[in-house]
Amino acid sequence: MRYVDGAVMFFSLWLLASMILDALTPPELNFYMIGPIIAPAVLITGFLYGLRIPSRDFVLVSAAVWLVCEMMLEMITPKPLSPFLAVSAVAPLLLAGILLHIQHWRQTGGHPRRPGSPSLTDAPVSSNVLPSRRPF
């Protein structure tokens, strides 16, 4: 039953997104042109939702696929789309990147660490951690 619920949910989201994009885009771009372009994005996100992948991966893949859909819409439309639509296509990826950066920053305690730099876990176990110094 879970798969039927997911399929109905993503079909409804596809229909809603197609109608909203039809209202926001120029009259030359209609529902019958928009629907097939965003259908692969809905199928991919629905499939990943059914696989129950981690939410972080789901959000990133979903945002990237919707950005590709916006680029395809830009390619087929006879008139340029509004800048608002371009900003709304890039915004999910930017938001996901910012949230991932903040989450990583919180996990490291607010101190970013370079990939090659040693951490406290790499320190030697002996009590003589600092080398002895010779006087001048």
Side-chain angles (χ1 to χ4, degrees):
M1 193 63 165
R2 185 187 83 176
Y3 298 113
V4 174
D5 293 342
V8 169
M9 178 178 66
F10 279 96
F11 176 75
S12 300
L13 288 174
W14 169 76
L15 191 60
L16 178 66
S18 297
M19 291 188 308
I20 289 174
L21 286 174
D22 186 27
L24 293 177
T25 55
E28 291 85 11
L29 197 63
N30 58 16
F31 174 80
Y32 300 107
M33 297 168 74
I34 295 170
I37 287 184
I38 66 170
V42 172
L43 289 174
I44 290 169
T45 54
F47 180 70
L48 293 176
Y49 178 80
L51 290 178
R52 295 186 178 205
I53 66 168
S55 60
R56 182 185 308 172
D57 297 337
F58 179 78
V59 167
L60 290 174
V61 170
S62 171
V65 168
W66 283 105
L67 180 63
V68 170
C69 284
E70 196 277 330
M71 288 189 281
M72 293 298 296
L73 281 174
E74 188 72 43
M75 286 173 49
I76 69 163
T77 186
K79 293 169 77 176
L81 296 175
S82 70
F84 175 72
L85 195 61
V87 169
S88 67
V90 173
L93 280 175
L94 288 175
L95 184 64
I98 290 168
L99 292 176
L100 284 174
H101 185 70
I102 290 171
Q103 184 180 20
H104 177 70
W105 182 71
R106 282 186 180 172
Q107 288 176 352
T108 59
H111 302 291
R113 189 172 78 88
R114 290 188 214 113
S117 66
S119 66
L120 291 177
T121 58
D122 299 335
V125 182
S126 69
S127 62
N128 189 9
V129 175
L130 296 175
S132 62
R133 293 183 161 177
R134 290 188 282 167
F136 294 117

